[in-house]
Amino acid sequence: MELAYYSDYAVRLVNTEEPARGQDSLTSVEAVRELFGANQSAARRATDADVTRFRSVRGRLRAVFEAADGGDETLAVDLLNSLLLEFPVSPQISGHDHRDDDGSPLWHMHLADHPSNATAGFAALAAMGLAFHLTEYGVDRLGLCEAAPCRNAYLDTSTNRSRRYCSDRCATRANVAAYRARKRLEADRATGRSADSAQRTTASGER
């Protein structure tokens, strides 16, 4: 498993809340367990107490994305480093579950966590994955969706660093809104020109 894979843990957790819409899907232990995806052995460690702990980590991860999105690279790195120190992992070489056509192990790096609870394990993987993504691609690859009021987190993997939205749906919605705004502006300008023309015509007739 590539280490960058774990960066998606951070995105999934941050996006369980949409503050501008007042929505929060992280309200039960079942919601916590869903965040682990295929890692069901780790998910089974989750208890009701992890709901509050996960929310705390979520706020700290969102702060990393907010700092990066706002152009404050130093703050983003400092916030992420604090998570790495609090939730450490141990890198290990693994390959027993992945083999090539000849049956030889496909060696890869794996992050082994040693958590005291489910939150600590998830936070360790999320922070380390995000750290690998940041150092590999740059702080500016951590973004927040520009399609207000969404503000979901995303990881920009585009070749030209052009991503601005968390999904195709938000990109389409933003483009439609921008198109309608341009049309309204054009209509307002046309109305203004018509009014100016009418005033000039009236003034000319009065003379």
Side-chain angles (χ1 to χ4, degrees), residues 197-207:
S197 178
Q199 289 175 357
R200 287 194 296 270
T201 299
T202 300
S204 176
E206 292 175 349
R207 289 196 298 269

Side-chain angles (χ1 to χ4, degrees), residues 1-102:
M1 183 180 295
E2 296 182 2
L3 296 179
Y5 162 83
Y6 293 111
S7 59
D8 189 54
Y9 276 45
V11 173
R12 291 208 304 269
L13 177 54
V14 170
N15 290 346
T16 59
E17 181 184 29
E18 295 185 66
R21 291 189 172 117
Q23 297 179 357
D24 187 348
S25 63
L26 192 58
T27 58
S28 65
V29 66
E30 288 76 17
V32 168
R33 289 170 177 161
E34 288 178 4
L35 289 169
F36 284 92
N39 192 354
Q40 290 303 302
S41 60
R44 283 192 289 272
R45 294 198 298 261
T47 67
D48 289 331
D50 284 297
V51 176
T52 300
R53 289 193 287 254
F54 260 68
R55 286 178 170 177
S56 176
V57 172
R58 178 181 65 188
R60 295 171 66 182
L61 286 170
R62 174 170 282 278
V64 175
F65 279 92
E66 289 175 343
D69 189 67
D72 194 336
E73 295 190 9
T74 300
L75 178 58
V77 170
D78 287 346
L79 291 171
L80 189 51
N81 272 336
S82 69
L83 285 164
L84 292 170
L85 288 171
E86 185 174 343
F87 302 106
V89 295
S90 301
Q92 295 179 346
I93 299 174
S94 180
H96 56 277
D97 293 329
H98 302 80
R99 298 186 178 275
D100 61 19
D101 294 337
D102 297 326

Side-chain angles (χ1 to χ4, degrees), residues 118-156:
T119 303
F122 191 97
L125 298 178
M128 183 60 75
L130 200 57
F132 272 100
H133 192 95
L134 184 152
T135 54
E136 179 70 19
Y137 300 106
V139 178
D140 60 339
R141 293 298 188 126
L142 279 59
L144 293 173
C145 186
E146 292 185 14
C150 178
R151 303 300 283 168
N152 271 351
Y154 65 83
L155 299 171
D156 185 0

